[in-house]
Amino acid sequence: MFRKKNHMAVWSLCLSVVLLWGLAGCSFSQKDQMEPGSAVQTDTGSADPTTEAIQPEPEPEPELPASQQENDQHAAVMDDPDAPAYAKAYPGMYSDAVREPNVLHEEKVCYLTFDDGPSSTNTPGILDVLKQENVKATFFVVTSQINEETQPILQRIVDEGHTLCIHANQHEYGRLYASTEAYLADFAEAYDKIYALTGYRVQGFRFPGGSNGQVNSSGCYREIVAEMTRRGFEYYDWNAYDHDAEGGNYSVEQMVQLAVHEVSISSRNDTIMLLHDTYGKEKTVQALPSIIRQLKAAGIQLLPIDNTTRPVHFYVNESTPPEYVEPEPEPEPDTQDETEETAEGSAAE
């Protein structure tokens, strides 16, 4: 009996141990499920951070072309009911070139300017010469010439400290000077191209053919000049020339002599020389070192055009400041009459 009771007691003890172990296991398992660091979570309301959707960042709005960007100078014309429609176009196409005081140099200076580039054949050679001679110049570019081959050349002009100006986008007289609207549209296209490629805001320009060329006979010359100068852009003609683009087939030596001579005889101390760097102007590249060295030897400083440059204007109108006008040469004194008068005076005494 005692054994039976002992046997039953042992079984009861064993059963109790099993039950206690089972309860402990359940409690441990439940605790595991509630631990925040456990692999399995019973809280289905919280999201696994590794499975959250990544929201794409909003794409930045594309930058407006330079001619369309906001500009404080444009506000006044927008409030003017009498302003023509073309004046209200291109709100970002403004400059400060004509608002700066121009410098009247006491000694002769010369601004070397190159038209119709950039070209892959001649502009690099011209830039090499300018770098070698430590001279800064001005380039009036035709932006339809810019392509994959010439774009780095345009950037080089800016990087090496030269002045970049607009000649045209399309160098086509009939299309360019068809109307004021046509001229502004072409200019805006060139302005936007240069800014998009280099971040450079152009200040000056040169009329293809010069201001006494086809723009003057187009019937909208005064209107174009008035609108461009209202926007602050300055135009630059020239009063010295190396004669590299008139079909005269001059030799390199003749081009050098003509260029230096025209600077030396100019009635103005500030001369703006016309040269070309487009295709077919290899002689200009060859003549440039001698032109620079002879001008330097004559004590003439070589400068790039900037906002202080006194421009050359071929045609003068009532709005042109007097200091821009090319003065008439003074007549040479008649030395024979002076000699006769002196002799007469001496005889009378």
Side-chain angles (χ1 to χ4, degrees):
M1 187 70 175
F2 180 79
R3 288 183 180 176
K4 185 175 182 181
K5 287 182 179 179
N6 287 343
H7 184 69
M8 292 181 64
V10 171
W11 276 105
S12 297
L13 180 62
C14 291
L15 182 61
S16 299
V17 171
V18 170
L19 289 173
L20 288 172
W21 182 262
L23 290 172
C26 289
S27 176
F28 182 77
S29 175
Q30 189 174 16
K31 184 179 179 182
D32 278 350
Q33 291 181 4
M34 296 301 293
E35 285 287 340
S38 62
V40 179
Q41 297 288 331
T42 58
D43 184 4
T44 57
S46 61
D48 185 347
T50 61
T51 61
E52 288 184 2
I54 299 175
Q55 297 296 327
E57 294 184 5
E59 294 184 3
E61 295 184 5
E63 186 177 17
L64 289 172
S67 66
Q68 299 298 330
Q69 295 175 9
E70 293 297 325
N71 187 291
D72 292 339
Q73 293 171 271
H74 193 64
V77 74
M78 292 301 292
D79 295 333
D80 183 0
D82 298 324
Y86 61 72
K88 298 184 178 182
Y90 315 113
M93 200 165 72
Y94 281 80
S95 166
D96 291 319
V98 298
R99 292 177 173 83
E100 295 291 331
N102 301 126
V103 175
L104 299 176
H105 291 276
E106 296 181 0
E107 303 292 336
K108 273 193 179 291
V109 301
C110 180
Y111 301 89
L112 301 177
T113 68
F114 298 88
D115 280 13
D116 297 345
S119 70
S120 59
T121 54
N122 292 313
T123 309
I126 286 170
L127 289 169
D128 290 344
V129 173
L130 294 172
K131 188 173 183 179
Q132 181 179 356
E133 298 294 334
N134 194 27
V135 170
K136 305 301 182 188
T138 304
F139 291 82
F140 291 88
V141 299
V142 176
T143 53
S144 61
Q145 298 272 44
I146 301 171
N147 51 40
E148 291 184 1
E149 192 174 15
T150 57
Q151 180 179 331
I153 301 171
L154 187 76
Q155 187 64 54
R156 182 182 171 188
I157 291 172
V158 175
D159 292 344
E160 295 186 0
H162 304 290
T163 298
L164 202 55
C165 292
I166 288 174
H167 203 29
N169 180 55
Q170 295 285 345
H171 199 299
E172 300 174 11
Y173 295 137
R175 173 180 173 178
L176 189 62
Y177 301 137
S179 65
T180 304
E181 290 83 356
Y183 184 84
L184 290 172
D186 183 272
F187 190 93
E189 190 167 354
Y191 186 80
D192 289 342
K193 280 183 181 179
I194 292 171
Y195 180 80
L197 293 173
T198 66
Y200 188 101
R201 287 189 181 272
V202 169
Q203 300 278 301
F205 68 102
R206 172 173 287 161
F207 289 110
S211 65
N212 63 341
Q214 295 193 35
V215 63
N216 188 58
S217 60
S218 66
C220 53
Y221 163 72
R222 291 180 181 272
E223 198 173 68
I224 292 173
V225 169
E227 177 60 17
M228 292 300 292
T229 53
R230 182 194 71 78
R231 290 175 178 266
F233 294 97
E234 184 62 86
Y235 70 96
Y236 302 88
D237 290 315
W238 59 92
N239 55 352
Y241 180 33
D242 74 336
H243 297 263
D244 64 354
E246 60 182 14
N249 196 27
Y250 292 103
S251 67
V252 171
E253 291 75 15
Q254 288 173 321
M255 289 166 59
V256 173
Q257 291 172 3
L258 287 166
V260 174
H261 176 69
E262 292 192 6
V263 173
S264 64
I265 67 169
S266 174
S267 58
R268 286 176 36 147
N269 279 343
D270 39 9
T271 57
I272 298 179
M273 183 185 295
L274 171 65
L275 308 100
H276 294 81
D277 64 324
T278 190
Y279 299 97
K281 303 302 175 186
E282 285 75 16
K283 287 183 181 180
T284 303
V285 184
Q286 298 167 26
L288 186 59
S290 293
I291 292 173
I292 291 174
R293 290 166 191 167
Q294 290 191 33
L295 291 175
K296 283 182 175 180
I300 297 170
Q301 189 177 7
L302 300 171
L303 301 171
I305 286 176
D306 61 19
N307 287 359
T308 68
T309 301
R310 188 163 68 113
V312 173
H313 291 168
F314 285 151
Y315 274 77
V316 178
N317 59 35
E318 63 278 2
S319 65
T320 304
E323 65 268 20
Y324 289 3
V325 180
E326 187 82 22
E328 293 290 335
E330 295 182 3
E332 295 183 2
D334 191 338
T335 55
Q336 182 177 358
D337 291 344
E338 290 180 359
T339 303
E340 290 175 355
E341 290 176 2
T342 303
E344 291 173 1
S346 300
E349 293 176 358

